[in-house]
Amino acid sequence: MKIGIIGTGNVGGAIARGLRGKGHSVTLGARDLDGAEVQRLAQQADAVLALPDVAARGAEIVVLALPWGVAEAAVAALGDLTGKIVVDCMNPIGRGPAGLQLLVGHSTSGGEIVQSWLPGARVVKTLNQVGAEMMADNHHLAHRPVMFMAGDDAEAKGAVGQMLTDMGFEALDAGGIALSRLLEPLGLVWINQALVRGKGRNWAFAAIS
Ligand SMILES: NC(=O)c1ccc[n+]([C@@H]2O[C@H](COP(=O)([O-])OP(=O)(O)OC[C@H]3O[C@@H](n4cnc5c(N)ncnc54)[C@H](OP(=O)(O)O)[C@@H]3O)[C@@H](O)[C@H]2O)c1
């Protein structure tokens, strides 16, 4: 598939690395095409570099790997995404009195809000449930890690599921986009374990039987 990754930080970079050599055509959407780091990433991931709107225009799957606080304006600047599959990896989190917390939920979610910004696009919430490192490479784990998806379009989830499989995950369909209400708290469980409770970042959820 033609995949445009908007945001080339921890998550965007890890997804690009995880997709290297898997038969996809990856374009990194970056604001500064001359930056040394993004150029190095493009080389490592065997990806093309473009401005964010150009990367989105040419893509079948547009991956949003942006900080939640800038997402609405950044998504609006991408142009018309009608008909495209949009992967929302973002966790709407910020610091509150009790540390990191969800900024939206539990009666709505970031995934539903992104879908409301893009009514003509097919949004799939996923890749928000583990740390970026697990997206770049998870083959050393004892079990195949699971990655849930939430979205209203079955065909979109089929395509994204294949992308997740290519990245080493067991892709599981959680249900419609409203199920993002459960997947975003799950992302926070991972963050809390990794960063607050001392488990570190080298682990993921698995669905074993
Ligand atoms: N880090 C994790 O392990 C992890 C795991 C799962 C989900 N997430 C979620 O994934 C999202 C990204 O996290 P991250 O850790 O990758 O963040 P990050 O390292 O800070 O990267 C954010 C990227 O967004 C770009 N960006 C910022 N404003 C932009 C705009 N207006 N237009 C286009 N690009 C813009 C930045 O570009 P510049 O370099 O030009 O500033 C940067 O490449 C967050 O919502 C986070 O909750 C993170």
Side-chain angles (χ1 to χ4, degrees), residues 23-202:
H24 300 283
S25 162
V26 175
T27 301
L28 296 167
R31 297 186 286 188
D32 176 13
L33 302 182
D34 296 325
E37 214 161 304
V38 81
Q39 293 216 352
R40 193 164 45 246
L41 171 63
Q43 204 172 20
Q44 285 171 353
D46 198 15
V48 171
L49 265 180
L51 290 170
D53 60 324
V54 177
R57 201 176 312 136
E60 297 161 290
I61 298 180
V62 177
V63 177
L64 302 177
L66 299 161
W68 177 250
V70 307
E72 185 170 11
V75 167
L78 296 178
D80 185 10
L81 301 185
T82 300
K84 292 187 189 292
I85 298 168
V86 172
V87 171
D88 169 20
C89 314
M90 299 178 289
N91 280 317
I93 54 173
R95 290 218 166 263
L100 278 178
Q101 62 181 53
L102 288 171
L103 301 174
V104 297
H106 300 277
S107 57
T108 185
S109 60
E112 289 162 276
I113 293 170
V114 172
Q115 181 66 79
S116 76
W117 297 337
L118 299 167
R122 298 175 287 165
V123 176
V124 179
K125 180 94 209 182
T126 192
L127 288 172
N128 70 303
Q129 301 143 50
V130 295
E133 299 87 341
M134 298 294 107
M135 305 178 199
D137 183 12
N138 52 53
H139 291 93
H140 58 288
L141 298 177
H143 297 283
R144 194 169 168 218
V146 71
M147 184 58 65
F148 292 103
M149 306 178 278
D152 290 337
D153 187 284
E155 190 188 57
K157 283 189 282 193
V160 173
Q162 183 60 55
M163 180 182 124
L164 296 173
T165 303
D166 294 341
M167 293 170 70
F169 292 103
E170 177 186 8
L172 283 187
D173 186 354
I177 192 68
L179 268 288
S180 305
R181 295 176 196 185
L182 304 184
L183 301 191
E184 290 162 11
L186 188 58
L188 206 54
V189 170
W190 190 94
I191 292 169
N192 195 50
Q193 283 292 317
L195 306 183
V196 181
R197 305 198 67 82
K199 187 165 172 60
R201 301 184 63 96
N202 186 31

